[in-house]
Amino acid sequence: MRRVESMLLAVQLRDSINYPIAGSKILEALTAASCQETFCYERAELLGDAYLKWIVSRFLFLKYPQKHEGQLTRMRQQMVSNMVLYQCALNRGLQSFIQADRFAPSRWSAPGVLPVFDEDTKDTESTLFEPESNSSDPHKVALDNNGYEDDDMEDGEVEVESDSSCYRVLSSKTLADVVESLIGVYYVEGGKNAAHHLMSWIEIEVEFDPEEVDAVKKPCSVPDSVLKSVNFDALESSLNIKFHDKSLLLEAITHASRPSAGVSCYQRLEFVGDAVLDHLITRHLFFMYTDLPPGRLTDLRAAAVNNENFARVVVKHKLHLHLRHGSSALEAQIRDFLRDVKDELLKPGFNSFGVGDCKAPKVLGDIFESIAGAIFLDSGRDTSVVWKVFQPLMHPMVTPETLPMHPVRELQERCQQQAEGLEYKATRSGNLATVEVYIDGVQIGIAQNPQKKMAQKLAARNALVVLKEKQEIEEKEKGENGKKKNGNPAFTRQTLNDICLRRQWPMPQYRCVDEGGPAHAKKFTYSVRVNTTDKGWTDDCIGEPMPSVKKAKDSAAILLLELLNKLYPNP
């Protein structure tokens, strides 16, 4: 009955939008992860976000040919920010359809049927959540007469009255995410026409007249002397494409420090190229890895769509040699980066997907995006041509197997799993930042770099190396001291974590089952389980009572590892 109710709400919304796609897909776009269903809107939201950014960027770029990149960026923000999407969702009453709460049978009642509460909770429910007596709309938003939320609400939150005579609060981000997920679902199910229909319904107008755009296109007026200064044959050979309008390619490689008669700098092309690459790469990953969890898909996108990755592709294909600029400082930055990249490649097993040890000059990633914008315009606004050129350039693209975890995140998750206190201490002396890593008050790693974020990353990486070496020594000592009574080797929580990372499972979940005994001799009992994705959650494995949290978790982890050995002969 609950699912029927949810499906009927999705069908009702579909009829309001008036475009035929499967109701189950709309329900997916309306369901938050907090519902703990087998589906949620997060994957579709990732795709919808990239597509919306691309469509709005294209619209602004073509409609306002005289505006520079900074103006276009501000205009795009005004059209697609979370608060704007949130207001669009309110205007269309989407808050009435969103599924944001986990299904609780004891608190659910069929639509139109008065709820029945237990005697113990009836009084509390009626006093804390008493709705207004004159309210007849079961999904009414608590807004004042001016259309703004009630003063008691936090900014960006909507209070919705549900059929169970209580209120639920939806954040502004949830409503904005649902708008993007609906765009993603309509794009997947019905293509561009369906997505544009949904965007028009939500009152995001991005349609333009192609003939009007072509009419204002400026004619090419680049002097021959400037055109002859560029080796177009070599550049087009690297890209494996021939340009019809070479002035577009010239603009794409011209930095603001190199003014030329009749040639603009690459910033406008970078604006539209950034959006088209974001859309194309996100779409590729979305359809390539259909079973990948939303969080992992987001990590893939972040590793593929970033300035560091783009800059390394530019260097790999020697596109930087064609950059037109007039800055000696920029030349020195590029030269230093080339040297650092060569050192990176010499490291065994190095993987550069956004986790390189050296910071790339922004200009290198910019020209990668501006060239994409130039190809988009030169091909008659055909995104398939852009992808045909850039997919080979970016090969090999990041995959779930080659995606490295950022050292800062890896260290944080490790400390969380093992209940260890993690602290970073940063200081700066002149142009050099120093970051120290402390775990339970003990310094484990340290690194220096001109940039604080890079120093933090290197310090976290150094700390991980120390911790892994320490773990190996401990395991070796345990092995030399013999095996446990049951004959199995001594496992650790890190072994379990490594299995989850290798199989792309979420990290294990530990829970304190019991904590007892006097203060000087406490005993802790922990359970652990893991979501194996293909077989769902394992049973809770409850360890032995132990004198510390770490040992209690180790005890539970050993049992779970034995269970995984049975489920997967080679975990």
Side-chain angles (χ1 to χ4, degrees):
M1 286 294 293
R2 158 76 171 188
R3 182 53 53 82
V4 169
E5 178 194 16
S6 301
M7 281 298 300
L8 288 174
L9 280 173
V11 170
Q12 181 183 344
L13 178 60
R14 180 188 64 187
D15 293 343
S16 299
I17 298 172
N18 194 25
Y19 199 99
I21 73 169
S24 59
K25 294 298 181 181
I26 295 182
L27 178 59
E28 179 180 330
L30 296 171
T31 304
S34 55
C35 291
Q36 298 185 10
E37 291 278 7
T38 56
F39 53 85
C40 71
Y41 62 59
E42 290 180 354
R43 274 183 60 93
E45 181 258 330
L46 187 71
L47 181 64
D49 169 63
Y51 187 73
L52 178 62
K53 174 186 172 183
W54 156 236
I55 292 299
V56 171
S57 300
R58 183 188 68 170
F59 167 74
L60 294 174
F61 178 87
L62 297 174
K63 186 173 178 62
Y64 302 102
Q66 303 304 321
K67 293 190 180 295
H68 59 72
E69 182 263 347
Q71 293 172 314
L72 295 176
T73 300
R74 285 192 295 271
M75 293 173 69
R76 180 175 68 192
Q77 181 66 16
Q78 292 169 0
M79 290 183 67
V80 299
S81 69
N82 273 356
M83 289 309 297
V84 171
L85 298 180
Y86 159 63
Q87 194 60 52
C88 290
L90 282 185
N91 294 341
R92 283 299 185 178
L94 286 182
Q95 69 277 359
S96 302
F97 301 92
I98 295 174
Q99 309 291 315
D101 302 314
R102 187 176 66 172
F103 175 49
S106 61
R107 301 185 67 244
W108 181 83
S109 62
V113 178
L114 291 176
V116 178
F117 296 105
D118 294 336
E119 290 298 325
D120 294 338
T121 62
K122 185 175 181 180
D123 293 337
T124 306
E125 294 283 357
S126 62
T127 54
L128 289 179
F129 302 106
E130 185 71 18
E132 293 181 5
S133 58
N134 61 352
S135 174
S136 58
D137 183 356
H139 292 294
K140 180 177 145 186
V141 186
L143 304 177
D144 63 20
N145 294 331
N146 295 320
Y148 294 96
E149 294 85 10
D150 183 25
D151 291 339
D152 292 336
M153 300 297 295
E154 294 289 336
D155 290 341
E157 292 183 340
V158 179
E159 194 176 68
V160 184
E161 185 183 338
S162 73
D163 284 330
S164 57
S165 296
C166 64
Y167 290 100
R168 62 194 179 107
V169 176
L170 299 176
S171 69
S172 58
K173 187 178 186 308
T174 297
L175 271 74
D177 288 348
V178 166
V179 172
E180 293 174 338
S181 67
L182 282 170
I183 293 172
V185 163
Y186 271 74
Y187 178 70
V188 171
E189 296 299 309
K192 297 178 181 178
N193 291 336
H196 288 203
H197 178 90
L198 186 280
M199 291 164 66
S200 177
W201 179 81
I202 211 76
E203 299 177 348
I204 301 174
E205 298 297 338
V206 290
E207 297 298 333
F208 60 90
D209 185 356
E211 294 182 2
E212 181 181 336
V213 171
D214 293 334
V216 299
K217 186 177 179 181
K218 62 180 181 180
C220 177
S221 58
V222 181
D224 289 341
S225 59
V226 177
L227 291 172
K228 290 179 180 177
S229 66
V230 178
N231 188 348
F232 286 107
D233 290 338
L235 181 52
E236 290 174 329
S237 177
S238 298
L239 298 171
N240 195 25
I241 188 176
K242 284 289 183 181
F243 271 75
H244 301 97
D245 183 356
K246 296 190 186 303
S247 66
L248 286 172
L249 184 55
L250 179 65
E251 179 180 336
I253 59 174
T254 301
H255 189 257
S257 62
R258 180 77 176 271
S260 300
V263 182
S264 303
C265 74
Y266 61 62
Q267 290 178 341
R268 268 182 57 87
L269 289 176
E270 178 217 339
F271 171 80
V272 72
D274 164 54
V276 71
L277 284 178
D278 190 0
H279 161 58
L280 291 173
I281 294 172
T282 303
R283 185 182 67 179
H284 167 76
L285 296 174
F286 182 90
F287 289 108
M288 175 66 72
Y289 304 106
T290 55
D291 297 327
L292 209 60
R296 195 70 171 167
L297 187 64
T298 301
D299 291 342
L300 278 181
R301 177 196 183 187
V305 185
N306 68 79
N307 192 75
E308 297 295 318
N309 186 37
F310 289 167
R312 283 164 173 77
V313 175
V314 165
V315 168
K316 177 181 178 181
H317 295 281
K318 303 188 185 317
L319 300 179
H320 64 285
L321 299 176
H322 304 280
L323 174 65
R324 301 177 70 247
H325 69 89
S327 169
S328 57
L330 186 59
E331 183 68 31
Q333 290 177 13
I334 295 174
R335 186 168 56 250
D336 291 344
F337 178 68
L338 292 174
R339 183 186 64 249
D340 292 338
V341 167
K342 288 182 180 179
D343 294 339
E344 281 182 352
L345 296 176
L346 295 176
K347 297 178 181 178
F350 178 75
N351 187 335
S352 68
F353 290 114
V355 203
D357 291 343
C358 56
K359 187 75 173 176
K362 184 175 181 296
V363 63
L364 297 180
D366 288 348
I367 64 170
F368 191 72
E369 295 168 343
S370 62
I371 290 173
I375 295 174
F376 167 69
L377 293 180
D378 189 67
S379 63
R381 300 188 288 274
D382 188 350
T383 57
S384 65
V385 176
V386 179
W387 186 238
K388 183 178 178 182
V389 172
F390 276 80
Q391 187 179 19
L393 289 177
M394 298 184 68
H395 181 81
M397 194 174 291
V398 62
T399 66
E401 292 74 30
T402 60
L403 175 65
M405 183 178 290
H406 196 285
V408 174
R409 179 178 170 186
E410 183 180 354
L411 182 60
Q412 180 182 2
E413 290 190 2
R414 182 194 181 282
C415 291
Q416 286 175 345
Q417 290 295 325
Q418 304 199 16
E420 296 172 332
L422 173 63
E423 183 183 7
Y424 291 94
K425 291 184 179 180
T427 57
R428 178 171 286 279
S429 176
N431 293 327
L432 204 60
T434 302
V435 175
E436 300 172 273
V437 181
Y438 288 85
I439 295 180
D440 287 341
V442 180
Q443 187 196 81
I444 301 295
I446 186 172
Q448 293 180 323
N449 195 272
Q451 294 179 335
K452 181 181 174 181
K453 284 188 175 180
M454 184 62 70
Q456 183 187 25
K457 182 174 70 174
L458 295 175
R461 181 177 293 170
N462 293 338
L464 286 168
V465 171
V466 171
L467 291 172
K468 288 177 181 177
E469 288 178 352
K470 182 180 178 182
Q471 177 191 332
E472 289 175 359
I473 293 173
E474 290 177 352
E475 290 182 349
K476 185 177 180 180
E477 290 177 351
K478 288 180 181 179
E480 291 174 352
N481 292 333
K483 297 184 177 181
K484 292 189 176 289
K485 293 180 181 180
N486 59 8
N488 291 328
F491 290 111
T492 65
R493 283 161 288 160
Q494 188 60 42
T495 308
L496 185 57
N497 291 348
D498 291 343
I499 292 174
C500 291
L501 287 171
R502 190 164 63 248
R503 290 187 170 269
Q504 300 170 30
W505 295 339
M507 285 291 102
Q509 289 192 0
Y510 291 89
R511 179 173 61 90
C512 183
V513 176
D514 185 49
E515 177 180 344
H520 66 280
K522 274 189 173 293
K523 291 285 187 177
F524 301 90
T525 304
Y526 267 76
S527 71
V528 63
R529 63 174 186 163
V530 67
N531 188 349
T532 61
T533 304
D534 56 337
K535 297 182 181 180
W537 287 100
T538 62
D539 295 332
D540 277 315
C541 295
I542 303 175
E544 297 290 331
M546 291 291 177
S548 71
V549 171
K550 293 180 181 180
K551 291 181 178 180
K553 289 184 176 181
D554 278 333
S555 177
I558 291 172
L559 297 178
L560 182 54
L561 284 163
E562 292 175 354
L563 175 61
L564 292 176
N565 270 325
K566 296 176 183 177
L567 296 176
Y568 304 91
N570 296 303

